[in-house]
Amino acid sequence: MDEHILEAMGKSKIVVKKGQVVEVGEPLIQYCPLFHKYRGIEELDKKTIKENIEFRINDFGMCTPHRDVKMKDFLSFGISETLSTLLVHHIIDCAVMVCEGAGTIIITDPEVCQGVGGRISGIISTSPIKEIINSLGYDNVLDPENATINQIKGVEKAIKKGYNSIAVTVASSEDAVNLRKLNLENDGVNIYIFAVHVTGLDDQEAQKMFDHADVITACASKTIREIAEEKAIFQAGLSIPIYAGTEKGKEFLLKRIDAIGGLKQKKDFKIPDPLI
């Protein structure tokens, strides 16, 4: 089976099979400042979403055997960019992330971190593509046979491989809770939690993210932004802010800001619409 289910571009459900977009759901968000800025998309709808996904398939082989898993750093600020910088400076040993065609993976190469995380988000389920798995390194993939997505088991695999400073991306607040427990059970290991794809989290889930994650992106989340006003110890960016939930998270964000020579603060910035 070759099927990849994504939740992206306004939290729309997208299904790609054999390199073809076969389903696009209605987006919950109609405007995203990032897609407006970088791709000129003024409104997210089924047509613009399908066109963008097809562009990614043709441009870097998303969801196909031709996937380019590497990407050079550029002057941008986000979760994958921050993780890439932490890898460059050996602040973390590895990042546990998710890639279509492979599932949960362990990354040590900054360019792979960018190529995987900077190009795609919100992977709900995927199936194995051997060429992508080989590009990432068979031993770096949690479950090469099934392309399973399981961030807890991914971190456990990283620990078994001998990594001590591990960053991990999570979209589930329960994963964040369980990763903190896992950290306490492993002396000498530091697990740093990066919350991604948080649009639509309810109040309780958003609270858990701030209670347990080091870095939290705002996406188009209403609850994350509201809770951040009280709980965030540092904020970077305005349109789609990234928050630090811990002092270590603040240190990580400042490292990325320093690496790109600072952030420009816009006066007339736009935010996703609507926030949910």
Side-chain angles (χ1 to χ4, degrees):
M1 181 180 69
D2 181 9
E3 180 180 81
H4 313 277
I5 301 176
L6 317 175
E7 200 174 66
M9 299 192 72
K11 210 172 170 69
S12 168
K13 179 186 176 182
I14 302 155
V15 180
V16 179
K17 292 183 179 182
K18 296 181 180 180
Q20 301 294 319
V21 180
V22 298
E23 181 182 335
V24 178
E26 288 289 348
L28 301 181
I29 311 299
Q30 280 72 53
Y31 177 81
C32 173
L34 289 184
F35 281 106
H36 189 189
K37 177 180 179 181
Y38 291 107
R39 301 301 311 162
I41 300 173
E42 296 184 6
E43 181 180 357
L44 295 172
D45 56 29
K46 286 185 175 183
K47 180 176 181 293
T48 56
I49 292 169
K50 186 173 187 289
E51 288 173 348
N52 181 265
I53 297 299
E54 289 174 339
F55 165 78
R56 297 192 216 185
I57 292 169
N58 294 326
D59 183 52
F60 61 87
M62 185 181 78
C63 298
T64 77
H66 310 293
R67 174 70 145 94
D68 181 0
V69 300
K70 289 191 173 185
M71 183 168 69
K72 296 285 188 182
D73 191 18
F74 60 98
L75 294 181
S76 181
F77 191 87
I79 296 294
S80 62
E81 291 82 9
T82 300
L83 291 172
S84 178
T85 294
L86 298 180
L87 287 170
V88 167
H89 293 278
H90 305 290
I91 295 169
I92 58 173
D93 298 330
C94 69
V96 176
M97 303 175 74
V98 178
C99 182
E100 87 283 5
T104 293
I105 56 173
I106 298 169
I107 297 174
T108 58
D109 185 330
E111 289 187 10
V112 174
C113 184
Q114 282 275 57
V116 168
R119 284 172 161 157
I120 187 169
S121 63
I123 303 170
I124 305 304
S125 65
T126 189
S127 55
I129 297 176
K130 65 178 182 178
E131 291 84 355
I132 294 178
I133 291 169
N134 290 337
S135 294
L136 295 167
Y138 190 89
D139 194 46
N140 294 323
V141 178
L142 173 64
D143 181 6
E145 301 303 317
N146 302 292
T148 300
I149 298 172
N150 189 316
Q151 299 305 81
I152 307 295
K153 290 188 179 298
V155 171
E156 289 175 342
K157 181 181 175 82
I159 294 170
K160 288 178 182 177
K161 285 171 69 71
Y163 296 118
N164 298 315
S165 182
I166 304 164
V168 54
T169 58
V170 301
S172 159
S173 60
E174 288 305 313
D175 276 0
V177 172
N178 290 325
L179 283 163
R180 280 289 172 238
K181 292 177 182 176
L182 183 63
N183 203 161
L184 292 173
E185 295 167 0
N186 289 271
D187 291 336
V189 173
N190 292 309
I191 300 172
Y192 302 114
I193 301 169
F194 287 68
V196 299
H197 198 58
V198 297
T199 300
L201 292 187
D202 63 28
D203 286 338
Q204 187 177 21
E205 291 169 326
Q207 286 281 357
K208 284 182 181 178
M209 284 302 197
F210 271 97
D211 288 341
H212 299 282
D214 295 281
V215 176
I216 307 102
T217 183
C219 293
S221 171
K222 185 173 183 289
T223 54
I224 288 289
R225 290 166 190 257
E226 289 173 348
I227 293 169
E229 292 180 8
E230 177 185 347
K231 289 201 166 186
I233 64 173
F234 181 74
Q235 173 180 333
L238 296 171
S239 290
I240 302 181
I242 300 179
Y243 305 109
T246 65
E247 287 295 334
K248 206 67 183 177
K250 178 180 178 181
E251 177 187 321
F252 294 158
L253 294 180
L254 288 172
K255 190 69 177 179
R256 176 60 185 177
I257 291 170
D258 180 65
I260 62 175
L263 286 178
K264 295 179 180 178
Q265 298 293 348
K266 298 178 182 177
K267 292 182 179 180
D268 301 319
F269 64 93
K270 295 182 178 181
I271 66 172
D273 182 46
L275 297 176
I276 61 171

